[in-house]
Amino acid sequence: MPKTRIIKNRKLSNGDLFAVLNLLDYSTTYLLITTGGEELMPLGASVIDGYGMLGLLFYKLVVTLIVIFCSKRLFTESLWSLLNGAFAGVVIWNNVGLFLSVFFS
């Protein structure tokens, strides 16, 4: 019987968490827009108007990769905390919007 390996104290790096939060932001934004919502961020709205949701996904992936690549020497722990906290807030806001849209069409 093969042994199972337990991973202890595995923690996401700041860049990994940033990437996950950006994908969650895209996913919840996609769900909101397809259920009649709208993008509130002006830059995101203009990308959606010009290139659709696939364009927004490409934009988010490119920006995420640029931020992670440039952050290797430029970002401090507190700046990562601020950035990831802001994106966590956006994801929470989107989820509240999704939750409320179930009850208030």
Side-chain angles (χ1 to χ4, degrees), residues 46-89:
S46 67
V47 170
I48 292 170
D49 288 342
Y51 304 100
M53 290 306 294
L54 189 59
L56 182 66
L57 177 61
F58 182 74
Y59 164 76
K60 290 195 86 45
L61 290 173
V62 168
V63 170
T64 299
L65 291 174
I66 290 171
V67 167
I68 291 171
F69 179 74
C70 292
S71 70
K72 298 291 183 193
R73 296 182 182 167
L74 301 175
F75 285 21
T76 63
E77 190 69 29
S78 60
L79 183 56
W80 270 120
S81 295
L82 179 67
L83 189 61
N84 285 332
F87 270 97

